[in-house]
Amino acid sequence: MAHEQHNYLNHQKGIWSWLTTLDHKRIGIMYFVAIMSFFFLGGVFALLVRAELFTPGKTLFSADVYNRMMTYHGAIMVFMVIVPGIPAIFGNFVLPIMIGAKDVAFPRLNLMSWYMLMIGAAITGSTLFLENVDTGWTFYTPYSSIKTGLGVIPMVLGVFIIGFSSILTGLNFIVTTHKLRAPGMTMNRIPLMVWALYSTAILQVLATPVLAITLLLLIAEKTLGVGIFDPQLGGDPVLFQHFFWFYSHPAVYIMILPAMGVISELVATYSRKVIFGYTAIAYSSLAIAGVSFLVWGHHMFVSGQSEFAGVLFSFITMLVGVPTAIKLFNWIATMYKGSIRLDAPMLFAIGFMFLFTIGGLTGVYLASTGMDVHFHDTYFVVAHFHYVMVGGTLMALMGALIYWFPKVTGKIYSDLAGRISWVFIFTGFNVTFFPQFILGNMGMPRRYYDYLPTFTELNQMSTFGSWLIGTGFLVGLYGVFYALLKGKEAGNNPFGGKTLEWTTTSPPPHENFEKTPVLTGGPYEYR
Amino acid sequence: MNWFSLITATSFMPVPATKESGDVDNLYIFLLVSGLISFIILIGGMVIFIFKYRRKTEDQKSAYITHNTLAEFLWSFIPFVIMMIIFAWGWSVFHDLRRVGEKGDVEVHVTARQWAWTFKYANDIEINSPSDKKLLDDPDSTLLKPEIVVVPVGKTIRFILTSDDVLHSFYVPAFRNKMDAVPGRRTTFTFTPIEKGDFTVFCTEYCGTKHSNMMATIRVVDGEQFAAWQAEKIAANAGANNKGPAERGEALFKGSLGCSGCHSIDGSRIVGPSFKGLYGNKRDFADGSSVTADDAYIKQSILVPTAKIVAGFPPAMSSFQGRIKEDEIKDIIEFIKTLK
Ligand code: HEM
Ligand SMILES: [Cu+2]
């Protein structure tokens, strides 16, 4: 380039300028680095867990070590990777640009959320060295409160703090979306990614405090012996499950709604077509967010709750299935008569739809009370939620990474590396998790260290698949370094996107736009 | 395993062994078929569009279609109707599985504890599962041999579940039924077996170290065999009462108290310390103190396990206060004395 372009990356220099930055774009990158490190750790635990299950009996570790690895894998992946993942990384980076704002509404709060995540993660992570936790990521009482070590306390304290990070980010996004839209950008013209982040933010703000209180009660019981959950102290062990799922069911939508936002962007751009049913997609996000507060009891069909409660929760759960189905139909209808290019991000979007359809359909099985009694807490459930959460969120995350990489760095991510990574992740994923549906049919319970010899072949397939997934992500990571060092210059709009972030330079200037944009139409006007 | 058996939808499920499980399987077949059709419509459509509308030239235009009210109504309404069918069907199956309050022809009290099940029949027959024998001769296996719990075919059986410590869940895949065992509560698991044979019980609520080991075998037999089994057990119980204290202690250790789940008698380490050579020898505690194991120490360890923690072990044991009688403690001590 002839003269050094002025952008947010060279706006200030030095590590300190990063650690104290108030620029949402830089904070997004800091989240990326942090969350990817957590993801690496969670991934290593996943590979170890699967390796242990390669043969029945003891393969590598004792039962206690296995239970701990299973716990850390789940807790890290859920609380430190998939929940913050897309909103914290890409939400931070693109949300303000997509609505034509200079930054988020509360830049200092934004930086503080990042530090909260770091502090929470450090406390949770410290238990790895102090006293390992073996409760599983759900921390069910009374096992967590009376039967296992004190490591549970710092562990949930860390999760509690991470929860606050999530609340603050949500708050920030809600206010930003309401207050900082560019002139002409009505609520019905904001990109679907923003709608998704906005619905997620509502969930984060409303649901996370319940988790926070629950974890505090657990700590109170464990340290002070207050009888809340432990029946020996006069508490109710099932109460914990009610509290926990009151947060954690909405949380599964905190994990997936942002991914759905990404998919809407990718499908529109790579089909070069106006999105089908903009309003339906936008408002179905809100519908999902609303209804998902009323379905927590579907995790407790066999907990001893009344038959009536079970049936009621089953009914409401079915209602969530409808807006979910609507989204899938809309994306596919968007492709109809489109001008489709199968670049790597689009492959990830297609992978998302494939895996998410399987995950969503099996969700309906589980929502049906009579069927769930057989499948609850078996590998069928493990397969279901990995299909929706991992197949959904991680596919979207990879797609988002490659799609917005040029905007973030000014360099193009190698499409070839993206495709190779996709082939490994997509096939590996199915090889890993499809057999688990069958294991669930056969009756293999989840969180098992050892199993009957009849389950061996399917477990071996599953372990083999996990290596493919691991390889796929390593290729993806290699792609990041390769693009940073050797990537081609991107230009402002390499993929022909229509949303606002593609109208500014790559990388964008410190305050996103040289001139505040003014909108005259909707976000996906491919004519 | 036969991969070709995929052709029949429920071929990976264990044989349905109860009246209720056949109904679950019918629902499953409906779910599988309707799910498969939905999958083909969605993903099939997607794949066709990918190929048909592939961008062939750089300036290829797309159609401008923003929405279509009829299509949108149909693809919201039809899934809704199907889901309501699945909901209602699921409910009716669920109602048959639950049968709360219905008395069984045979009633068994089932108590779960880390990591064993105790089955107690009305006439005091008691079965503890798993046993202390290995299930497989594989040296790496950690699974113990399940004990056999016998029930008659064609009768309504009600298990009344509770737990002594943490949550457990009673799951019989062949019955398509499961129910949590909750401390401080009673829940029921009612079924009517229609197939004779042996069916495995698993624990599906994570409960700590040996969660995967909490198995039992339910053996369904015909009425006469069931009566004969009961008679035999009652006779054996009568015999046991004539035994010496050390033998009674051994039965408690391996049986209803479930000590053998955590303590070995051959010196090997399970969860807690082994009892081999315990009596009369020195124990070192986590706080640095030590004591010679005598009657008072063993009694205290049973009633207040957290009073003295043996060095190198977690404080994992819960109190047996209220679950054990004074003479039973004596019998156990007698038994421990024999473990030189
Ligand atoms: C939107 C994407 C979805 C995500 C991210 C998701 C995530 C999850 C997760 C994480 C679990 C397991 C929690 C655990 O016990 O560890 C789960 C279980 C469950 N999901 Fe989903 N799910 C999704 C869609 C659906 C849909 C569409 C339905 C039904 C219409 C559904 C119904 C259920 C039910 C009933 C369970 C409980 C199963 C059991 O424990 O027996 N899910 N889901
Ligand atoms: Cu849920």
Side-chain angles (χ1 to χ4, degrees):
Chain A
M1 228 186 284
H3 67 103
E4 179 75 272
Q5 180 213 11
H6 196 67
N7 63 43
Y8 78 101
L9 290 170
N10 57 26
H11 178 70
Q12 279 176 313
K13 289 224 154 55
I15 182 88
W16 191 242
S17 78
W18 280 85
L19 290 174
T20 57
T21 183
L22 299 179
D23 184 339
H24 68 99
K25 299 182 286 307
R26 285 184 162 209
I27 293 177
I29 291 180
M30 278 159 51
Y31 270 118
F32 178 78
V33 174
I35 290 173
M36 284 303 128
S37 324
F38 304 150
F39 181 51
F40 185 77
L41 197 64
V44 169
F45 280 118
L47 291 172
L48 290 173
V49 162
R50 277 306 336 159
E52 171 55 43
L53 294 173
F54 193 69
T55 60
K58 177 171 185 252
T59 308
L60 295 169
F61 317 102
S62 70
D64 281 315
V65 174
Y66 173 84
N67 291 337
R68 287 171 181 158
M69 291 190 312
M70 169 277 283
T71 301
Y72 282 96
H73 163 65
I76 293 175
M77 285 302 197
V78 170
F79 298 114
M80 289 150 73
V81 179
I82 295 191
V83 168
I86 296 179
I89 302 172
F90 297 103
N92 254 312
F93 199 95
V94 297
L95 180 132
I97 314 185
M98 278 184 147
I99 59 171
K102 290 189 175 130
D103 203 325
V104 291
F106 308 115
R108 284 198 172 73
L109 208 61
N110 202 15
L111 182 64
M112 187 168 144
S113 326
W114 185 81
Y115 278 103
M116 300 273 266
L117 177 64
M118 292 301 126
I119 294 168
I123 297 179
T124 293
S126 71
T127 58
L128 267 170
F129 307 100
L130 300 174
E131 194 183 335
N132 276 216
V133 181
D134 67 346
T135 55
W137 74 278
T138 51
F139 309 119
Y140 271 16
T141 56
Y143 185 74
S144 61
S145 65
I146 54 170
K147 275 295 184 173
T148 192
L150 293 175
V152 173
I153 295 171
M155 179 89 156
V156 300
L157 190 72
V159 172
F160 174 85
I161 297 172
I162 292 172
F164 273 93
S165 164
S166 182
I167 295 174
L168 295 183
T169 305
L171 213 65
N172 222 335
F173 285 0
I174 293 178
V175 179
T176 308
T177 310
H178 275 293
K179 292 286 173 197
L180 300 183
R181 298 193 308 272
M185 177 162 281
T186 59
M187 276 309 260
N188 285 328
R189 282 180 182 168
I190 60 180
L192 289 169
M193 175 74 179
V194 178
W195 265 115
L197 291 167
Y198 177 76
S199 319
T200 309
I202 294 175
L203 285 177
Q204 284 173 305
V205 171
L206 295 182
T208 319
V210 181
L211 175 73
I213 293 166
T214 312
L215 297 179
L216 280 189
L217 291 177
L218 176 59
I219 294 177
E221 175 155 304
K222 213 168 163 66
T223 53
L224 308 172
V226 184
I228 300 162
F229 307 123
D230 174 6
Q232 286 182 16
L233 301 172
D236 177 1
V238 181
L239 182 65
F240 181 86
Q241 297 179 30
H242 282 288
F243 283 164
F244 183 83
W245 289 114
F246 190 86
Y247 162 75
S248 293
H249 184 79
V252 307
Y253 286 98
I254 296 179
M255 307 174 203
I256 199 74
L257 280 172
M260 293 172 155
V262 171
I263 300 307
S264 301
E265 301 298 322
L266 296 182
V267 169
T269 302
Y270 289 96
S271 305
R272 202 186 264 170
K273 186 158 166 290
V274 61
I275 199 98
F276 186 94
Y278 170 90
T279 354
I281 298 185
Y283 289 99
S284 64
S285 293
L286 283 181
I288 289 176
V291 182
S292 73
F293 274 106
L294 306 174
V295 303
W296 76 91
H298 68 212
H299 296 269
M300 300 166 63
F301 289 149
V302 304
S303 69
Q305 76 182 1
S306 73
E307 184 186 330
F308 178 72
V311 168
L312 197 67
F313 282 122
S314 166
F315 176 76
I316 308 173
T317 304
M318 293 292 175
L319 298 183
V320 191
V322 176
T324 314
I326 291 178
K327 285 193 194 261
L328 275 167
F329 278 114
N330 277 302
W331 291 322
I332 292 167
T334 301
M335 293 163 69
Y336 173 69
K337 294 197 174 172
S339 168
I340 300 170
R341 253 184 84 146
L342 288 184
D343 286 355
M346 186 64 173
L347 284 181
F348 280 104
I350 286 165
F352 173 99
M353 287 190 255
F354 184 96
L355 302 176
F356 187 78
T357 304
I358 297 178
L361 287 169
T362 50
V364 178
Y365 293 32
L366 297 174
S368 183
T369 37
M371 197 68 243
D372 180 67
V373 172
H374 178 54
F375 286 135
H376 175 73
D377 271 345
T378 66
Y379 263 81
F380 191 94
V381 172
V382 179
H384 157 71
F385 71 77
H386 280 90
Y387 263 89
V388 278
M389 273 166 42
V390 185
T393 310
L394 289 183
M395 281 281 167
L397 197 118
M398 287 300 291
L401 173 67
I402 301 173
Y403 179 59
W404 279 307
F405 197 88
K407 187 49 65 184
V408 175
T409 63
K411 301 282 174 56
I412 292 265
Y413 188 103
S414 150
D415 205 55
L416 183 66
R419 283 155 183 266
I420 296 174
S421 166
W422 182 82
V423 168
F424 275 103
I425 297 176
F426 183 77
T427 39
F429 189 87
N430 286 296
V431 175
T432 307
F433 293 105
F434 201 83
Q436 299 186 358
F437 283 123
I438 302 175
L439 283 170
N441 271 291
M442 295 164 74
M444 176 165 163
R446 72 196 272 207
R447 298 177 171 172
Y448 258 30
Y449 162 69
D450 196 355
Y451 52 82
L452 294 173
T454 39
F455 301 135
T456 310
E457 291 92 340
L458 290 164
N459 271 295
Q460 282 177 347
M461 250 174 99
S462 191
T463 301
F464 174 67
S466 72
W467 301 333
L468 295 181
I469 305 182
T471 311
F473 279 110
L474 287 181
V475 174
L477 183 68
Y478 165 82
V480 170
F481 287 114
Y482 184 85
L484 285 177
L485 299 174
K486 299 229 179 94
K488 289 202 297 276
E489 293 297 328
N492 294 348
N493 189 1
F495 311 126
K498 288 276 181 185
T499 38
L500 277 185
E501 78 272 28
W502 301 111
T503 61
T504 185
T505 51
S506 308
H510 176 57
E511 293 199 319
N512 297 346
F513 298 94
E514 301 296 347
K515 243 183 25 239
T516 306
V518 177
L519 270 98
T520 53
Y524 308 104
E525 293 295 311
Y526 291 95
R527 285 186 190 261
Chain B
M1 188 202 298
N2 179 6
W3 290 100
F4 292 105
S5 60
L6 249 182
I7 303 160
T8 46
T10 54
S11 51
F12 287 105
M13 301 262 203
V15 259
T18 57
K19 200 160 75 44
E20 305 79 24
S21 51
D23 302 336
V24 176
D25 285 2
N26 290 337
L27 171 60
Y28 184 64
I29 291 171
F30 179 78
L31 280 161
L32 207 63
V33 172
S34 61
L36 211 62
I37 294 172
S38 318
F39 182 82
I40 290 171
I41 293 174
L42 284 160
I43 301 304
M46 181 181 91
V47 170
I48 290 172
F49 293 167
I50 292 171
F51 285 105
K52 190 141 182 235
Y53 304 115
R54 198 66 183 270
R55 195 179 304 171
K56 296 182 187 86
T57 57
E58 254 330 292
D59 53 358
Q60 180 179 325
K61 285 268 182 296
S62 61
Y64 187 79
I65 311 167
T66 56
H67 65 281
N68 179 324
T69 313
L70 178 67
E72 290 183 72
F73 171 75
L74 286 180
W75 71 47
S76 314
F77 186 70
I78 296 172
F80 175 75
V81 172
I82 296 172
M83 281 191 238
M84 284 302 112
I85 296 172
I86 295 169
F87 158 72
W89 193 338
W91 177 2
S92 99
V93 171
F94 186 56
H95 187 71
D96 287 345
L97 286 168
R98 278 292 162 264
R99 299 195 236 123
V100 182
E102 186 178 322
K103 280 241 172 194
D105 301 323
V106 176
E107 301 227 326
V108 184
H109 281 266
V110 183
T111 307
R113 111 173 53 81
Q114 285 175 322
W115 291 278
W117 306 95
T118 302
F119 298 81
K120 202 163 189 162
Y121 287 69
N123 47 15
D124 275 348
I125 295 176
E126 198 176 283
I127 308 285
N128 286 282
S129 188
S131 69
D132 57 354
K133 290 183 255 345
K134 270 202 160 193
L135 176 60
L136 311 164
D137 21 295
D138 175 1
D140 287 336
S141 177
T142 64
L143 302 180
L144 298 175
K145 198 163 190 271
E147 286 292 356
I148 291 163
V149 180
V150 180
V151 295
V153 72
K155 292 282 192 307
T156 305
I157 321 286
R158 180 163 80 162
F159 286 168
I160 299 160
L161 311 172
T162 190
S163 162
D164 271 349
D165 41 40
V166 300
L167 298 170
H168 301 272
S169 190
F170 191 86
Y171 174 40
V172 189
F175 300 172
R176 314 284 187 272
N177 202 350
K178 86 163 61 65
M179 191 69 202
D180 283 2
V182 183
R185 270 196 205 188
R186 278 173 207 291
T187 51
T188 58
F189 181 103
T190 312
F191 60 101
T192 311
I194 52 168
E195 283 296 322
K196 288 190 266 182
D198 284 359
F199 306 104
T200 308
V201 178
F202 294 113
C203 175
T204 47
E205 187 66 86
Y206 174 74
C207 56
T209 311
K210 299 212 283 172
H211 166 53
S212 56
N213 216 326
M214 276 180 73
M215 283 188 279
T217 298
I218 295 183
R219 175 167 292 169
V220 180
V221 298
D222 53 33
E224 296 98 76
Q225 283 168 302
F226 179 64
W229 176 78
Q230 286 206 313
E232 187 191 314
K233 281 282 166 194
I234 291 170
N237 271 357
N241 286 337
N242 303 329
K243 282 192 187 139
E247 280 157 316
R248 287 199 302 267
E250 177 168 9
L252 289 166
F253 176 86
K254 293 185 175 162
S256 58
L257 294 176
C259 320
S260 56
C262 297
H263 299 281
S264 78
I265 54 175
D266 60 1
S268 62
R269 179 190 173 115
I270 314 179
V271 177
S274 175
F275 289 170
K276 184 178 171 149
L278 165 62
Y279 197 85
N281 287 315
K282 196 160 128 317
R283 303 308 266 186
D284 295 321
F285 300 117
D287 61 7
S289 64
S290 58
V291 67
T292 304
D294 56 6
D295 291 31
Y297 166 69
I298 295 176
K299 183 171 175 186
Q300 184 191 37
S301 300
I302 296 173
L303 297 178
V304 196
T306 45
K308 296 193 175 75
I309 307 295
V310 177
F313 289 91
M317 178 167 162
S318 56
S319 172
F320 280 74
Q321 186 92 47
R323 281 206 273 142
I324 190 167
K325 299 191 204 74
E326 198 64 27
D327 341 336
E328 291 178 331
I329 296 180
K330 291 217 180 72
D331 293 343
I332 294 228
I333 293 172
E334 286 311 313
F335 170 61
I336 291 175
K337 281 183 186 166
T338 67
L339 304 171
K340 292 283 158 22

